[in-house]
Amino acid sequence: MDLWRAIKERRSVRRLGGEVGLEELMEVLEAARWAPSAHNAQPWRFVVVLDAGVKRRLAEAMAEAWVKDLVGDGVDPAAAEEAARRSVELLSSSPALIVAFATMEDMKHYPDERRASAERLMAVQSVAAAVENLLLALHAMGLAACWLCAPLFCPDVVREVLKAPSEAEPQALIIVGRPLEQPPPPPRRELREVVFLDRWGAGP
């Protein structure tokens, strides 16, 4: 698929079906690993989840953590449970899940908080670049996906279910499958709204 076409036609798709094989997923993960990364440290790690039982356990554990947050925010418990039910259904019914982690294993280590924080952010940015490669590759192969940030709110839960080490930081959960819908293109800001020349606010 033409690169510009892939960029402009890719959509976040939540209604997914069909079957996705491990071989297909490994092919798109090959695209992910060619993303740029800080120091070429390649701080991304991916857990592919195809087993129905693991998908269900991960979905239910994350939903339980979400309900606690929602109720703590003052959301009606019944509404919180309903939102959690929909989340469990979304994740457990998706043909495949890919959980993206960031690791500081090969990143630089600084004694001060300022540089340590910047280094961690560089790792997160690198993982995001890999995820974008992954999404474009999925679309080019005729598959569909949706990038979910829920693991950021319950990292310990995700690590526990997937047996990940304590230093691995879950950054994203991507649901993958065959598209059962074709969402319309979302609105995009005009270039003049987001691109400045020489100084902030100056139009190109």
Side-chain angles (χ1 to χ4, degrees):
M1 181 182 288
D2 173 76
L3 175 61
W4 281 108
R5 180 182 166 198
I7 290 173
K8 291 188 174 184
E9 291 184 358
R10 185 208 61 79
R11 299 285 181 268
S12 294
V13 180
R14 290 173 176 264
R15 291 188 60 237
L16 302 168
E19 294 184 359
V20 180
L22 181 58
E23 186 174 327
E24 290 176 294
L25 295 174
M26 294 302 287
E27 187 172 343
V28 297
L29 286 163
E30 173 70 6
R33 80 181 185 95
W34 281 97
S37 64
H39 322 305
N40 192 35
Q42 303 166 55
W44 45 71
R45 302 291 186 271
F46 300 95
V47 175
V48 176
V49 183
L50 297 177
D51 183 88
V54 179
K55 283 190 287 186
R56 171 66 65 169
R57 286 197 299 276
L58 180 62
E60 290 179 347
M62 291 176 63
E64 183 179 350
W66 190 28
V67 167
K68 290 179 181 177
D69 284 343
L70 290 175
V71 173
D73 291 339
V75 174
D76 177 71
E81 290 289 351
E82 175 58 22
R85 184 196 64 77
R86 292 195 301 269
S87 176
V88 169
E89 176 61 22
L90 175 67
L91 269 58
S92 59
S93 66
S94 295
L97 308 178
I98 300 175
V99 182
F101 290 81
T103 173
M104 298 299 291
E105 181 180 347
D106 295 315
M107 299 294 289
K108 291 184 179 180
H109 299 276
Y110 296 103
D112 57 288
E113 178 59 29
R114 176 179 61 85
R115 289 183 295 170
S117 178
E119 191 74 6
R120 179 183 172 278
L121 181 57
M122 288 159 60
V124 170
Q125 291 175 337
S126 300
V127 174
V131 172
E132 176 65 2
N133 273 19
L134 172 71
L135 294 175
L136 290 174
L138 285 166
H139 179 65
M141 288 180 62
L143 296 169
C146 186
W147 177 346
L148 307 174
C149 295
L152 291 170
F153 296 92
C154 53
D156 291 339
V157 165
V158 175
R159 278 191 289 260
E160 181 179 357
V161 174
L162 299 181
K163 312 302 182 188
S166 59
E167 67 89 24
E169 299 184 23
Q171 297 295 318
L173 188 157
I174 301 101
I175 58 174
V176 181
R178 311 284 170 186
L180 298 180
E181 62 178 349
Q182 293 183 322
R188 286 289 187 265
R189 295 180 184 275
E190 297 293 332
L191 273 179
R192 65 176 181 274
E193 298 180 72
V194 299
V195 179
F196 309 132
L197 183 61
D198 296 329
R199 62 177 176 82
W200 187 278

